[in-house]
Amino acid sequence: MIPHEQFRMTPSRRAILDGISGAACHPTADEVYEMVRRALPRVSLGTVYRNLELLTRHGLIRTLADGRGQRHYDAVLEDHCHVRCEACGRVDDVRVTSPGQLVDAVEDGGGYDIHGYRLSFTGLCPDCASERERSAPGRQLEGGDDESQGNED
Amino acid sequence: MIPHEQFRMTPSRRAILDGISGAACHPTADEVYEMVRRALPRVSLGTVYRNLELLTRHGLIRTLADGRGQRHYDAVLEDHCHVRCEACGRVDDVRVTSPGQLVDAVEDGGGYDIHGYRLSFTGLCPDCASERERSAPGRQLEGGDDESQGNED
DNA sequence: ATAACTGCAAAACGTTTGCGTGTAT
DNA sequence: ATACACGCAAACGTTTTGCAGTTAT
């Protein structure tokens, strides 16, 4: 969060901001690109990335480097928690009880100067869960390959 | 976690496993590569990546896609929490009170089928904290540009 | 004989950057 | 006039993949 440095709220930045705010779940850079292009067909992906970074630096959005692959972007600035679908990678919000006490729960930080926390859950989003149920009802299908544990954090 | 599929504990895999277990903090792929090469100078980076993925799939290690940039690898399989240094990217363990209750704390998962959690903290590791103190004692230096909040999760 | 494993180099992926031009102040 | 912003295309760092040769079973 860089306090002293001015920048213009240009059409592309407005569109990026609106796109992220209006999205159903937290979009990736190229999903933002798609959304912005519907309003401004000539924007480039480079500009989208440049502005996602700038908006993050100025505290107007948050960048979630949550999982594997792409980052996700979030227009909600308050501290909150996320779920990431293990199957499709989609990221949504979760509400948890008393998340503010999480930092206090640290018993041994090994000398780290702790600034914040990040709590995210993994699981299956409604769509992927029902799709999985359709293709393997009750798990009666051919063995193995469960992977539900998710060793990739 | 794929249960039924055999694989050989080859020298390179053994070395990767040992390297991760013996490392001071959770290493990245090329740190693992470095370590393995000390024992087996002819291994390729491709093999290291292939085997990190295989060992993860078989539940022998965990892949931490924690932050920006590189992934980190962890030989401790039990659920536990991490800290990532905002300055150098290093990842270590933290102990927190009753982490097992975290999943129970979810009030509204929005229809997700939640399998696990990932709690990590951000902050400054001892080295970076003391370096920062040396270069800006008490923060009396030139203004602005703190960034300590860290909008990049 | 077969399946698993490897080194090597090329490709893929998501992201960043340099440059020349355009636009707001 | 100046600083900021952009499109475009090239470059980047990390990870994955295809292929041809090697090794264990």
Side-chain angles (χ1 to χ4, degrees):
Chain A
M1 179 105 73
I2 294 183
H4 310 304
E5 183 194 12
Q6 57 269 58
F7 70 98
R8 304 185 197 133
M9 185 50 69
T10 63
S12 72
R13 286 168 191 173
R14 171 92 287 139
I16 289 171
L17 219 38
D18 291 350
I20 298 175
S21 308
C25 62
H26 305 313
T28 60
D30 52 276
E31 286 164 350
V32 173
Y33 179 49
E34 277 306 312
M35 301 188 300
V36 170
R37 247 145 67 100
R38 287 204 277 274
L40 306 167
R42 299 190 44 77
V43 288
S44 73
L45 184 55
T47 293
V48 169
Y49 272 109
R50 245 191 294 248
N51 288 335
L52 287 170
E53 198 270 333
L54 178 135
L55 293 171
T56 300
R57 237 177 38 232
H58 285 268
L60 299 181
I61 61 173
R62 285 181 162 253
T63 297
L64 315 176
D66 240 38
R68 29 179 311 140
Q70 291 131 288
R71 299 178 191 161
H72 293 253
Y73 298 90
D74 191 344
V76 175
L77 301 174
E78 295 78 47
D79 272 343
H80 61 285
C81 306
H82 294 113
V83 225
R84 176 169 50 88
C85 179
E86 288 162 1
C88 68
R90 164 178 177 158
V91 175
D92 279 296
D93 291 340
V94 241
R95 265 212 319 278
V96 306
T97 57
S98 49
Q101 290 158 16
L102 278 173
V103 174
D104 303 335
V106 175
E107 286 175 353
D108 182 0
Y112 269 74
D113 179 12
I114 292 180
H115 292 165
Y117 69 88
R118 179 171 56 132
L119 173 56
S120 52
F121 296 87
T122 56
L124 289 176
C125 74
D127 292 354
C128 291
S130 68
E131 187 186 319
R132 194 161 285 201
E133 193 56 33
R134 215 175 307 122
S135 72
R139 246 171 208 72
Q140 255 98 26
L141 276 191
E142 27 168 331
D145 181 52
D146 185 356
E147 206 242 323
S148 64
Q149 245 272 75
N151 289 326
E152 170 126 11
D153 292 334
Chain B
M1 180 104 74
I2 294 183
H4 310 303
E5 183 194 14
Q6 57 268 58
F7 70 99
R8 303 181 198 136
M9 185 50 69
T10 63
S12 73
R13 287 169 191 173
R14 173 88 290 136
I16 289 172
L17 219 39
D18 290 350
I20 298 174
S21 308
C25 62
H26 306 311
T28 59
D30 53 275
E31 286 164 351
V32 173
Y33 178 49
E34 278 307 311
M35 300 186 301
V36 170
R37 248 144 68 100
R38 288 204 277 276
L40 306 166
R42 299 191 43 76
V43 288
S44 72
L45 185 55
T47 294
V48 169
Y49 272 108
R50 246 190 295 247
N51 287 336
L52 287 170
E53 198 270 335
L54 178 134
L55 293 171
T56 301
R57 236 177 39 232
H58 285 267
L60 298 181
I61 61 172
R62 285 181 163 252
T63 296
L64 314 176
D66 240 38
R68 29 181 310 143
Q70 291 131 288
R71 299 177 190 162
H72 294 253
Y73 298 91
D74 192 345
V76 175
L77 301 174
E78 294 80 46
D79 272 342
H80 62 286
C81 306
H82 294 112
V83 226
R84 176 170 49 88
C85 179
E86 289 162 0
C88 68
R90 164 178 177 159
V91 175
D92 279 296
D93 291 340
V94 242
R95 264 213 319 279
V96 306
T97 56
S98 49
Q101 290 160 15
L102 277 173
V103 174
D104 303 335
V106 175
E107 286 174 353
D108 182 0
Y112 269 74
D113 180 13
I114 292 180
H115 292 163
Y117 69 88
R118 178 172 56 134
L119 173 56
S120 53
F121 295 87
T122 56
L124 289 175
C125 72
D127 292 354
C128 291
S130 67
E131 187 186 318
R132 194 161 285 201
E133 193 55 33
R134 215 176 306 121
S135 71
R139 252 178 203 66
Q140 254 99 24
L141 278 191
E142 26 168 333
D145 181 53
D146 186 357
E147 206 243 324
S148 64
Q149 244 273 77
N151 289 327
E152 170 126 12
D153 292 335

